[in-house]
Amino acid sequence: MNEQRGAARIPLPGRPAKAPPVPSHPLYEPETDEVVWNGRYPVQRVRFRFRKRDGSLSELLTWELLRRGQGTVILPWDPVTDRIALIEQFRLPALAAGEEPRVTELPAGLVDPGEDPLETARRELEEETGLVPSRIEAIGTYMLAQGSCDERVHFHIARVSLEGARDRTGGLAGEGEETVVRVVEAAEAFAMVAANRIRNAPTALALLWFQVNHARLKEEWTP
């Protein structure tokens, strides 16, 4: 994060910490920036113009901005058996969208303020699956819904042992979570993505990355 962006994110007095003003930028001409909902994920209503490629300003726009902050996604892989740990859990938004509410996905979670995303990945992996990685590396950082949400998601791959992990339950009871671990062969996971049986975009993205890098990682990470 550069100094200009970091300075612009300092909240104004009276604003919730999770909903600071939108950072200044040469392309961004704000008119108003107000917090209209301060729940679990705050919502801002921003009226602004942006500078177009010819240098002129756009018409006045009004956007609602969902503030989720940063997240992590973790792909747990056992290179010895070439198996992957997926999880299943109930997701209300999936039901609202007309999808199957028990979603197959990868362990994931939100980064706490000041926390290193890699440490978040370790924590979420253990909370949701009970697995402890012997190695963990970054895949990349992506935005998943830049048309409405500020969330930046850090993707990781973790080396784990999946001995006895199948059908293990996890999740934080205090947060109402219930996750069930599903262990699958890497080839089966790739086939699930190809057949659109994985409906969760971060999981599909991580598995596609893994499929491209599978041979290299198999050579580098196999003891």
Side-chain angles (χ1 to χ4, degrees), residues 10-47:
I10 297 174
L12 295 177
R15 288 185 71 114
K18 292 194 293 184
V22 175
S24 60
H25 192 278
L27 298 180
Y28 172 60
E29 296 288 338
E31 184 168 297
T32 61
D33 180 342
E34 58 179 331
V35 179
V36 295
W37 173 255
N38 186 23
R40 181 182 183 189
Y41 306 124
V43 177
Q44 288 166 240
R45 182 181 294 124
V46 183
R47 291 168 59 82

PDB file of all heavy atoms in Angstrom, residues 10-47:
ATOM      1  N   ILE A  10      -7.455   7.016   6.239  1.00  0.00           N
ATOM      2  CA  ILE A  10      -7.675   7.354   7.638  1.00  0.00           C
ATOM      3  C   ILE A  10      -9.113   7.846   7.802  1.00  0.00           C
ATOM      4  O   ILE A  10      -9.540   8.778   7.131  1.00  0.00           O
ATOM      5  CB  ILE A  10      -6.689   8.445   8.106  1.00  0.00           C
ATOM      6  CG1 ILE A  10      -5.246   7.922   8.007  1.00  0.00           C
ATOM      7  CG2 ILE A  10      -7.005   8.893   9.519  1.00  0.00           C
ATOM      8  CD1 ILE A  10      -4.208   8.970   8.301  1.00  0.00           C
ATOM      9  N   PRO A  11      -9.914   7.203   8.661  1.00  0.00           N
ATOM     10  CA  PRO A  11     -11.320   7.581   8.773  1.00  0.00           C
ATOM     11  C   PRO A  11     -11.500   8.997   9.296  1.00  0.00           C
ATOM     12  O   PRO A  11     -10.715   9.495  10.102  1.00  0.00           O
ATOM     13  CB  PRO A  11     -11.874   6.554   9.772  1.00  0.00           C
ATOM     14  CG  PRO A  11     -10.856   5.469   9.842  1.00  0.00           C
ATOM     15  CD  PRO A  11      -9.548   6.094   9.532  1.00  0.00           C
ATOM     16  N   LEU A  12     -12.545   9.669   8.840  1.00  0.00           N
ATOM     17  CA  LEU A  12     -12.914  10.961   9.393  1.00  0.00           C
ATOM     18  C   LEU A  12     -13.577  10.755  10.751  1.00  0.00           C
ATOM     19  O   LEU A  12     -14.114   9.693  11.038  1.00  0.00           O
ATOM     20  CB  LEU A  12     -13.892  11.671   8.442  1.00  0.00           C
ATOM     21  CG  LEU A  12     -13.328  12.054   7.063  1.00  0.00           C
ATOM     22  CD1 LEU A  12     -14.434  12.682   6.232  1.00  0.00           C
ATOM     23  CD2 LEU A  12     -12.159  13.013   7.203  1.00  0.00           C
ATOM     24  N   PRO A  13     -13.559  11.772  11.627  1.00  0.00           N
ATOM     25  CA  PRO A  13     -14.208  11.634  12.935  1.00  0.00           C
ATOM     26  C   PRO A  13     -15.676  11.251  12.774  1.00  0.00           C
ATOM     27  O   PRO A  13     -16.406  11.803  11.954  1.00  0.00           O
ATOM     28  CB  PRO A  13     -14.064  13.037  13.535  1.00  0.00           C
ATOM     29  CG  PRO A  13     -12.871  13.620  12.851  1.00  0.00           C
ATOM     30  CD  PRO A  13     -12.897  13.066  11.456  1.00  0.00           C
ATOM     31  N   GLY A  14     -16.113  10.265  13.565  1.00  0.00           N
ATOM     32  CA  GLY A  14     -17.502   9.849  13.540  1.00  0.00           C
ATOM     33  C   GLY A  14     -17.825   8.777  12.519  1.00  0.00           C
ATOM     34  O   GLY A  14     -18.916   8.226  12.532  1.00  0.00           O
ATOM     35  N   ARG A  15     -16.884   8.477  11.642  1.00  0.00           N
ATOM     36  CA  ARG A  15     -17.128   7.430  10.653  1.00  0.00           C
ATOM     37  C   ARG A  15     -16.716   6.076  11.222  1.00  0.00           C
ATOM     38  O   ARG A  15     -15.731   5.984  11.963  1.00  0.00           O
ATOM     39  CB  ARG A  15     -16.339   7.690   9.369  1.00  0.00           C
ATOM     40  CG  ARG A  15     -16.855   8.831   8.540  1.00  0.00           C
ATOM     41  CD  ARG A  15     -16.095   8.924   7.241  1.00  0.00           C
ATOM     42  NE  ARG A  15     -16.416   7.831   6.342  1.00  0.00           N
ATOM     43  CZ  ARG A  15     -17.043   7.992   5.171  1.00  0.00           C
ATOM     44  NH1 ARG A  15     -17.418   9.206   4.787  1.00  0.00           N
ATOM     45  NH2 ARG A  15     -17.298   6.966   4.403  1.00  0.00           N
ATOM     46  N   PRO A  16     -17.425   4.988  10.854  1.00  0.00           N
ATOM     47  CA  PRO A  16     -16.980   3.661  11.292  1.00  0.00           C
ATOM     48  C   PRO A  16     -15.640   3.316  10.667  1.00  0.00           C
ATOM     49  O   PRO A  16     -15.363   3.665   9.519  1.00  0.00           O
ATOM     50  CB  PRO A  16     -18.097   2.735  10.785  1.00  0.00           C
ATOM     51  CG  PRO A  16     -18.785   3.492   9.703  1.00  0.00           C
ATOM     52  CD  PRO A  16     -18.676   4.933  10.077  1.00  0.00           C
ATOM     53  N   ALA A  17     -14.800   2.626  11.438  1.00  0.00           N
ATOM     54  CA  ALA A  17     -13.449   2.315  10.975  1.00  0.00           C
ATOM     55  C   ALA A  17     -13.454   1.477   9.705  1.00  0.00           C
ATOM     56  O   ALA A  17     -12.533   1.576   8.883  1.00  0.00           O
ATOM     57  CB  ALA A  17     -12.680   1.587  12.076  1.00  0.00           C
ATOM     58  N   LYS A  18     -14.490   0.652   9.534  1.00  0.00           N
ATOM     59  CA  LYS A  18     -14.524  -0.218   8.364  1.00  0.00           C
ATOM     60  C   LYS A  18     -15.037   0.484   7.107  1.00  0.00           C
ATOM     61  O   LYS A  18     -15.083  -0.116   6.039  1.00  0.00           O
ATOM     62  CB  LYS A  18     -15.400  -1.442   8.648  1.00  0.00           C
ATOM     63  CG  LYS A  18     -14.820  -2.386   9.694  1.00  0.00           C
ATOM     64  CD  LYS A  18     -15.514  -3.726   9.708  1.00  0.00           C
ATOM     65  CE  LYS A  18     -16.952  -3.631  10.165  1.00  0.00           C
ATOM     66  NZ  LYS A  18     -17.599  -4.954  10.275  1.00  0.00           N
ATOM     67  N   ALA A  19     -15.412   1.758   7.222  1.00  0.00           N
ATOM     68  CA  ALA A  19     -15.940   2.491   6.068  1.00  0.00           C
ATOM     69  C   ALA A  19     -15.270   3.852   5.934  1.00  0.00           C
ATOM     70  O   ALA A  19     -15.928   4.895   5.989  1.00  0.00           O
ATOM     71  CB  ALA A  19     -17.452   2.647   6.190  1.00  0.00           C
ATOM     72  N   PRO A  20     -13.949   3.893   5.750  1.00  0.00           N
ATOM     73  CA  PRO A  20     -13.265   5.181   5.558  1.00  0.00           C
ATOM     74  C   PRO A  20     -13.644   5.792   4.215  1.00  0.00           C
ATOM     75  O   PRO A  20     -14.174   5.109   3.338  1.00  0.00           O
ATOM     76  CB  PRO A  20     -11.780   4.795   5.583  1.00  0.00           C
ATOM     77  CG  PRO A  20     -11.766   3.389   5.078  1.00  0.00           C
ATOM     78  CD  PRO A  20     -13.017   2.754   5.633  1.00  0.00           C
ATOM     79  N   PRO A  21     -13.375   7.086   4.030  1.00  0.00           N
ATOM     80  CA  PRO A  21     -13.651   7.703   2.731  1.00  0.00           C
ATOM     81  C   PRO A  21     -12.882   7.002   1.616  1.00  0.00           C
ATOM     82  O   PRO A  21     -11.810   6.437   1.834  1.00  0.00           O
ATOM     83  CB  PRO A  21     -13.158   9.144   2.918  1.00  0.00           C
ATOM     84  CG  PRO A  21     -13.154   9.364   4.395  1.00  0.00           C
ATOM     85  CD  PRO A  21     -12.839   8.047   5.012  1.00  0.00           C
ATOM     86  N   VAL A  22     -13.417   7.040   0.422  1.00  0.00           N
ATOM     87  CA  VAL A  22     -12.731   6.482  -0.736  1.00  0.00           C
ATOM     88  C   VAL A  22     -11.429   7.256  -0.947  1.00  0.00           C
ATOM     89  O   VAL A  22     -11.420   8.495  -0.851  1.00  0.00           O
ATOM     90  CB  VAL A  22     -13.627   6.572  -1.990  1.00  0.00           C
ATOM     91  CG1 VAL A  22     -12.873   6.111  -3.233  1.00  0.00           C
ATOM     92  CG2 VAL A  22     -14.900   5.754  -1.788  1.00  0.00           C
ATOM     93  N   PRO A  23     -10.320   6.572  -1.220  1.00  0.00           N
ATOM     94  CA  PRO A  23      -9.034   7.274  -1.391  1.00  0.00           C
ATOM     95  C   PRO A  23      -9.079   8.277  -2.543  1.00  0.00           C
ATOM     96  O   PRO A  23      -9.777   8.086  -3.533  1.00  0.00           O
ATOM     97  CB  PRO A  23      -8.047   6.141  -1.695  1.00  0.00           C
ATOM     98  CG  PRO A  23      -8.700   4.912  -1.195  1.00  0.00           C
ATOM     99  CD  PRO A  23     -10.170   5.122  -1.337  1.00  0.00           C
ATOM    100  N   SER A  24      -8.304   9.332  -2.404  1.00  0.00           N
ATOM    101  CA  SER A  24      -8.184  10.300  -3.492  1.00  0.00           C
ATOM    102  C   SER A  24      -7.415   9.689  -4.655  1.00  0.00           C
ATOM    103  O   SER A  24      -6.593   8.790  -4.479  1.00  0.00           O
ATOM    104  CB  SER A  24      -7.477  11.564  -2.995  1.00  0.00           C
ATOM    105  OG  SER A  24      -6.174  11.242  -2.526  1.00  0.00           O
ATOM    106  N   HIS A  25      -7.724  10.188  -5.856  1.00  0.00           N
ATOM    107  CA  HIS A  25      -7.058   9.680  -7.054  1.00  0.00           C
ATOM    108  C   HIS A  25      -7.279  10.683  -8.180  1.00  0.00           C
ATOM    109  O   HIS A  25      -8.345  11.324  -8.239  1.00  0.00           O
ATOM    110  CB  HIS A  25      -7.638   8.317  -7.456  1.00  0.00           C
ATOM    111  CG  HIS A  25      -6.826   7.603  -8.494  1.00  0.00           C
ATOM    112  ND1 HIS A  25      -6.927   7.878  -9.840  1.00  0.00           N
ATOM    113  CD2 HIS A  25      -5.883   6.619  -8.377  1.00  0.00           C
ATOM    114  CE1 HIS A  25      -6.096   7.098 -10.506  1.00  0.00           C
ATOM    115  NE2 HIS A  25      -5.451   6.338  -9.644  1.00  0.00           N
ATOM    116  N   PRO A  26      -6.307  10.856  -9.085  1.00  0.00           N
ATOM    117  CA  PRO A  26      -6.478  11.819 -10.181  1.00  0.00           C
ATOM    118  C   PRO A  26      -7.700  11.554 -11.061  1.00  0.00           C
ATOM    119  O   PRO A  26      -8.226  12.480 -11.682  1.00  0.00           O
ATOM    120  CB  PRO A  26      -5.183  11.666 -10.986  1.00  0.00           C
ATOM    121  CG  PRO A  26      -4.187  11.149 -10.008  1.00  0.00           C
ATOM    122  CD  PRO A  26      -4.943  10.273  -9.072  1.00  0.00           C
ATOM    123  N   LEU A  27      -8.167  10.299 -11.098  1.00  0.00           N
ATOM    124  CA  LEU A  27      -9.322   9.969 -11.933  1.00  0.00           C
ATOM    125  C   LEU A  27     -10.653  10.121 -11.203  1.00  0.00           C
ATOM    126  O   LEU A  27     -11.719   9.979 -11.817  1.00  0.00           O
ATOM    127  CB  LEU A  27      -9.208   8.528 -12.452  1.00  0.00           C
ATOM    128  CG  LEU A  27      -8.015   8.210 -13.347  1.00  0.00           C
ATOM    129  CD1 LEU A  27      -8.054   6.740 -13.758  1.00  0.00           C
ATOM    130  CD2 LEU A  27      -8.006   9.112 -14.578  1.00  0.00           C
ATOM    131  N   TYR A  28     -10.609  10.430  -9.920  1.00  0.00           N
ATOM    132  CA  TYR A  28     -11.810  10.385  -9.075  1.00  0.00           C
ATOM    133  C   TYR A  28     -12.147  11.774  -8.565  1.00  0.00           C
ATOM    134  O   TYR A  28     -11.324  12.430  -7.930  1.00  0.00           O
ATOM    135  CB  TYR A  28     -11.536   9.424  -7.911  1.00  0.00           C
ATOM    136  CG  TYR A  28     -12.584   9.387  -6.832  1.00  0.00           C
ATOM    137  CD1 TYR A  28     -13.898   9.018  -7.109  1.00  0.00           C
ATOM    138  CD2 TYR A  28     -12.238   9.682  -5.510  1.00  0.00           C
ATOM    139  CE1 TYR A  28     -14.849   8.956  -6.098  1.00  0.00           C
ATOM    140  CE2 TYR A  28     -13.175   9.617  -4.493  1.00  0.00           C
ATOM    141  CZ  TYR A  28     -14.478   9.262  -4.794  1.00  0.00           C
ATOM    142  OH  TYR A  28     -15.412   9.199  -3.788  1.00  0.00           O
ATOM    143  N   GLU A  29     -13.385  12.237  -8.847  1.00  0.00           N
ATOM    144  CA  GLU A  29     -13.863  13.547  -8.402  1.00  0.00           C
ATOM    145  C   GLU A  29     -15.106  13.342  -7.536  1.00  0.00           C
ATOM    146  O   GLU A  29     -16.225  13.245  -8.034  1.00  0.00           O
ATOM    147  CB  GLU A  29     -14.200  14.433  -9.609  1.00  0.00           C
ATOM    148  CG  GLU A  29     -13.013  14.782 -10.478  1.00  0.00           C
ATOM    149  CD  GLU A  29     -12.090  15.787  -9.806  1.00  0.00           C
ATOM    150  OE1 GLU A  29     -12.564  16.498  -8.892  1.00  0.00           O
ATOM    151  OE2 GLU A  29     -10.910  15.867 -10.193  1.00  0.00           O
ATOM    152  N   PRO A  30     -14.932  13.240  -6.201  1.00  0.00           N
ATOM    153  CA  PRO A  30     -16.084  12.969  -5.337  1.00  0.00           C
ATOM    154  C   PRO A  30     -16.927  14.213  -5.095  1.00  0.00           C
ATOM    155  O   PRO A  30     -16.430  15.340  -5.107  1.00  0.00           O
ATOM    156  CB  PRO A  30     -15.428  12.503  -4.042  1.00  0.00           C
ATOM    157  CG  PRO A  30     -14.113  13.218  -4.021  1.00  0.00           C
ATOM    158  CD  PRO A  30     -13.674  13.307  -5.452  1.00  0.00           C
ATOM    159  N   GLU A  31     -18.210  13.992  -4.869  1.00  0.00           N
ATOM    160  CA  GLU A  31     -19.100  15.059  -4.436  1.00  0.00           C
ATOM    161  C   GLU A  31     -19.583  14.795  -3.017  1.00  0.00           C
ATOM    162  O   GLU A  31     -19.495  15.668  -2.161  1.00  0.00           O
ATOM    163  CB  GLU A  31     -20.291  15.179  -5.389  1.00  0.00           C
ATOM    164  CG  GLU A  31     -21.209  16.352  -5.028  1.00  0.00           C
ATOM    165  CD  GLU A  31     -22.212  16.661  -6.115  1.00  0.00           C
ATOM    166  OE1 GLU A  31     -21.779  17.034  -7.224  1.00  0.00           O
ATOM    167  OE2 GLU A  31     -23.427  16.544  -5.846  1.00  0.00           O
ATOM    168  N   THR A  32     -20.098  13.607  -2.749  1.00  0.00           N
ATOM    169  CA  THR A  32     -20.486  13.222  -1.388  1.00  0.00           C
ATOM    170  C   THR A  32     -20.083  11.778  -1.154  1.00  0.00           C
ATOM    171  O   THR A  32     -20.002  10.976  -2.087  1.00  0.00           O
ATOM    172  CB  THR A  32     -22.007  13.352  -1.157  1.00  0.00           C
ATOM    173  OG1 THR A  32     -22.703  12.489  -2.066  1.00  0.00           O
ATOM    174  CG2 THR A  32     -22.464  14.787  -1.341  1.00  0.00           C
ATOM    175  N   ASP A  33     -19.813  11.443   0.111  1.00  0.00           N
ATOM    176  CA  ASP A  33     -19.424  10.090   0.508  1.00  0.00           C
ATOM    177  C   ASP A  33     -19.990   9.872   1.901  1.00  0.00           C
ATOM    178  O   ASP A  33     -19.459  10.377   2.889  1.00  0.00           O
ATOM    179  CB  ASP A  33     -17.892   9.976   0.494  1.00  0.00           C
ATOM    180  CG  ASP A  33     -17.392   8.590   0.895  1.00  0.00           C
ATOM    181  OD1 ASP A  33     -18.150   7.820   1.502  1.00  0.00           O
ATOM    182  OD2 ASP A  33     -16.207   8.298   0.613  1.00  0.00           O
ATOM    183  N   GLU A  34     -21.091   9.136   1.995  1.00  0.00           N
ATOM    184  CA  GLU A  34     -21.759   8.946   3.286  1.00  0.00           C
ATOM    185  C   GLU A  34     -21.976   7.473   3.582  1.00  0.00           C
ATOM    186  O   GLU A  34     -22.158   6.668   2.670  1.00  0.00           O
ATOM    187  CB  GLU A  34     -23.114   9.671   3.297  1.00  0.00           C
ATOM    188  CG  GLU A  34     -24.049   9.207   2.194  1.00  0.00           C
ATOM    189  CD  GLU A  34     -25.387   9.916   2.223  1.00  0.00           C
ATOM    190  OE1 GLU A  34     -25.815  10.316   3.328  1.00  0.00           O
ATOM    191  OE2 GLU A  34     -26.004  10.041   1.147  1.00  0.00           O
ATOM    192  N   VAL A  35     -21.909   7.120   4.860  1.00  0.00           N
ATOM    193  CA  VAL A  35     -22.187   5.760   5.308  1.00  0.00           C
ATOM    194  C   VAL A  35     -23.686   5.657   5.556  1.00  0.00           C
ATOM    195  O   VAL A  35     -24.231   6.357   6.400  1.00  0.00           O
ATOM    196  CB  VAL A  35     -21.396   5.423   6.583  1.00  0.00           C
ATOM    197  CG1 VAL A  35     -21.722   4.010   7.050  1.00  0.00           C
ATOM    198  CG2 VAL A  35     -19.895   5.573   6.339  1.00  0.00           C
ATOM    199  N   VAL A  36     -24.353   4.770   4.801  1.00  0.00           N
ATOM    200  CA  VAL A  36     -25.797   4.638   4.925  1.00  0.00           C
ATOM    201  C   VAL A  36     -26.196   3.382   5.687  1.00  0.00           C
ATOM    202  O   VAL A  36     -27.372   3.211   6.032  1.00  0.00           O
ATOM    203  CB  VAL A  36     -26.474   4.642   3.538  1.00  0.00           C
ATOM    204  CG1 VAL A  36     -26.261   5.997   2.865  1.00  0.00           C
ATOM    205  CG2 VAL A  36     -25.948   3.519   2.656  1.00  0.00           C
ATOM    206  N   TRP A  37     -25.238   2.511   5.950  1.00  0.00           N
ATOM    207  CA  TRP A  37     -25.517   1.320   6.756  1.00  0.00           C
ATOM    208  C   TRP A  37     -24.241   0.918   7.451  1.00  0.00           C
ATOM    209  O   TRP A  37     -23.198   0.785   6.815  1.00  0.00           O
ATOM    210  CB  TRP A  37     -26.032   0.166   5.885  1.00  0.00           C
ATOM    211  CG  TRP A  37     -26.170  -1.138   6.632  1.00  0.00           C
ATOM    212  CD1 TRP A  37     -25.337  -2.220   6.551  1.00  0.00           C
ATOM    213  CD2 TRP A  37     -27.169  -1.481   7.582  1.00  0.00           C
ATOM    214  NE1 TRP A  37     -25.758  -3.219   7.384  1.00  0.00           N
ATOM    215  CE2 TRP A  37     -26.895  -2.796   8.035  1.00  0.00           C
ATOM    216  CE3 TRP A  37     -28.279  -0.811   8.100  1.00  0.00           C
ATOM    217  CZ2 TRP A  37     -27.683  -3.438   8.960  1.00  0.00           C
ATOM    218  CZ3 TRP A  37     -29.067  -1.455   9.032  1.00  0.00           C
ATOM    219  CH2 TRP A  37     -28.778  -2.756   9.463  1.00  0.00           C
ATOM    220  N   ASN A  38     -24.316   0.723   8.767  1.00  0.00           N
ATOM    221  CA  ASN A  38     -23.136   0.368   9.542  1.00  0.00           C
ATOM    222  C   ASN A  38     -23.365  -0.956  10.247  1.00  0.00           C
ATOM    223  O   ASN A  38     -23.326  -1.059  11.463  1.00  0.00           O
ATOM    224  CB  ASN A  38     -22.794   1.460  10.551  1.00  0.00           C
ATOM    225  CG  ASN A  38     -21.475   1.183  11.267  1.00  0.00           C
ATOM    226  OD1 ASN A  38     -20.629   0.458  10.745  1.00  0.00           O
ATOM    227  ND2 ASN A  38     -21.303   1.740  12.451  1.00  0.00           N
ATOM    228  N   GLY A  39     -23.642  -2.004   9.444  1.00  0.00           N
ATOM    229  CA  GLY A  39     -23.812  -3.336   9.984  1.00  0.00           C
ATOM    230  C   GLY A  39     -22.508  -4.120   9.907  1.00  0.00           C
ATOM    231  O   GLY A  39     -21.412  -3.553   9.975  1.00  0.00           O
ATOM    232  N   ARG A  40     -22.638  -5.430   9.754  1.00  0.00           N
ATOM    233  CA  ARG A  40     -21.450  -6.282   9.668  1.00  0.00           C
ATOM    234  C   ARG A  40     -20.545  -5.834   8.528  1.00  0.00           C
ATOM    235  O   ARG A  40     -19.326  -5.796   8.661  1.00  0.00           O
ATOM    236  CB  ARG A  40     -21.880  -7.736   9.459  1.00  0.00           C
ATOM    237  CG  ARG A  40     -20.726  -8.707   9.390  1.00  0.00           C
ATOM    238  CD  ARG A  40     -21.211 -10.118   9.126  1.00  0.00           C
ATOM    239  NE  ARG A  40     -20.119 -11.075   9.134  1.00  0.00           N
ATOM    240  CZ  ARG A  40     -20.238 -12.345   8.765  1.00  0.00           C
ATOM    241  NH1 ARG A  40     -21.422 -12.802   8.369  1.00  0.00           N
ATOM    242  NH2 ARG A  40     -19.207 -13.159   8.799  1.00  0.00           N
ATOM    243  N   TYR A  41     -21.152  -5.489   7.400  1.00  0.00           N
ATOM    244  CA  TYR A  41     -20.428  -4.932   6.271  1.00  0.00           C
ATOM    245  C   TYR A  41     -21.035  -3.576   5.951  1.00  0.00           C
ATOM    246  O   TYR A  41     -22.147  -3.501   5.412  1.00  0.00           O
ATOM    247  CB  TYR A  41     -20.519  -5.850   5.044  1.00  0.00           C
ATOM    248  CG  TYR A  41     -20.078  -7.269   5.310  1.00  0.00           C
ATOM    249  CD1 TYR A  41     -20.928  -8.339   5.048  1.00  0.00           C
ATOM    250  CD2 TYR A  41     -18.815  -7.540   5.832  1.00  0.00           C
ATOM    251  CE1 TYR A  41     -20.527  -9.638   5.288  1.00  0.00           C
ATOM    252  CE2 TYR A  41     -18.412  -8.834   6.076  1.00  0.00           C
ATOM    253  CZ  TYR A  41     -19.279  -9.884   5.802  1.00  0.00           C
ATOM    254  OH  TYR A  41     -18.881 -11.169   6.054  1.00  0.00           O
ATOM    255  N   PRO A  42     -20.359  -2.476   6.273  1.00  0.00           N
ATOM    256  CA  PRO A  42     -20.924  -1.148   6.034  1.00  0.00           C
ATOM    257  C   PRO A  42     -21.173  -0.893   4.541  1.00  0.00           C
ATOM    258  O   PRO A  42     -20.509  -1.477   3.678  1.00  0.00           O
ATOM    259  CB  PRO A  42     -19.846  -0.200   6.577  1.00  0.00           C
ATOM    260  CG  PRO A  42     -19.052  -1.022   7.530  1.00  0.00           C
ATOM    261  CD  PRO A  42     -19.063  -2.403   6.973  1.00  0.00           C
ATOM    262  N   VAL A  43     -22.122  -0.012   4.284  1.00  0.00           N
ATOM    263  CA  VAL A  43     -22.438   0.398   2.916  1.00  0.00           C
ATOM    264  C   VAL A  43     -22.317   1.916   2.828  1.00  0.00           C
ATOM    265  O   VAL A  43     -22.852   2.641   3.667  1.00  0.00           O
ATOM    266  CB  VAL A  43     -23.860  -0.031   2.502  1.00  0.00           C
ATOM    267  CG1 VAL A  43     -24.190   0.482   1.098  1.00  0.00           C
ATOM    268  CG2 VAL A  43     -23.999  -1.545   2.560  1.00  0.00           C
ATOM    269  N   GLN A  44     -21.585   2.387   1.821  1.00  0.00           N
ATOM    270  CA  GLN A  44     -21.454   3.818   1.556  1.00  0.00           C
ATOM    271  C   GLN A  44     -22.236   4.169   0.297  1.00  0.00           C
ATOM    272  O   GLN A  44     -22.294   3.372  -0.646  1.00  0.00           O
ATOM    273  CB  GLN A  44     -19.983   4.202   1.353  1.00  0.00           C
ATOM    274  CG  GLN A  44     -19.160   4.168   2.633  1.00  0.00           C
ATOM    275  CD  GLN A  44     -17.682   4.212   2.364  1.00  0.00           C
ATOM    276  OE1 GLN A  44     -16.952   3.294   2.742  1.00  0.00           O
ATOM    277  NE2 GLN A  44     -17.212   5.257   1.698  1.00  0.00           N
ATOM    278  N   ARG A  45     -22.813   5.357   0.302  1.00  0.00           N
ATOM    279  CA  ARG A  45     -23.406   5.906  -0.913  1.00  0.00           C
ATOM    280  C   ARG A  45     -22.506   7.046  -1.357  1.00  0.00           C
ATOM    281  O   ARG A  45     -22.323   8.031  -0.630  1.00  0.00           O
ATOM    282  CB  ARG A  45     -24.825   6.394  -0.677  1.00  0.00           C
ATOM    283  CG  ARG A  45     -25.480   6.939  -1.961  1.00  0.00           C
ATOM    284  CD  ARG A  45     -26.880   7.455  -1.708  1.00  0.00           C
ATOM    285  NE  ARG A  45     -27.770   6.366  -1.327  1.00  0.00           N
ATOM    286  CZ  ARG A  45     -28.486   6.350  -0.207  1.00  0.00           C
ATOM    287  NH1 ARG A  45     -28.408   7.362   0.644  1.00  0.00           N
ATOM    288  NH2 ARG A  45     -29.266   5.328   0.061  1.00  0.00           N
ATOM    289  N   VAL A  46     -21.918   6.896  -2.539  1.00  0.00           N
ATOM    290  CA  VAL A  46     -20.930   7.853  -3.040  1.00  0.00           C
ATOM    291  C   VAL A  46     -21.460   8.488  -4.321  1.00  0.00           C
ATOM    292  O   VAL A  46     -21.864   7.783  -5.256  1.00  0.00           O
ATOM    293  CB  VAL A  46     -19.582   7.163  -3.315  1.00  0.00           C
ATOM    294  CG1 VAL A  46     -18.540   8.184  -3.759  1.00  0.00           C
ATOM    295  CG2 VAL A  46     -19.095   6.410  -2.072  1.00  0.00           C
ATOM    296  N   ARG A  47     -21.474   9.808  -4.344  1.00  0.00           N
ATOM    297  CA  ARG A  47     -21.803  10.557  -5.560  1.00  0.00           C
ATOM    298  C   ARG A  47     -20.505  11.131  -6.093  1.00  0.00           C
ATOM    299  O   ARG A  47     -19.792  11.849  -5.379  1.00  0.00           O
ATOM    300  CB  ARG A  47     -22.828  11.655  -5.260  1.00  0.00           C
ATOM    301  CG  ARG A  47     -24.216  11.100  -4.914  1.00  0.00           C
ATOM    302  CD  ARG A  47     -25.137  12.174  -4.345  1.00  0.00           C
ATOM    303  NE  ARG A  47     -25.323  13.289  -5.267  1.00  0.00           N
ATOM    304  CZ  ARG A  47     -26.187  13.292  -6.296  1.00  0.00           C
ATOM    305  NH1 ARG A  47     -26.935  12.227  -6.539  1.00  0.00           N
ATOM    306  NH2 ARG A  47     -26.310  14.353  -7.068  1.00  0.00           N
TER     307      ARG A  47
END
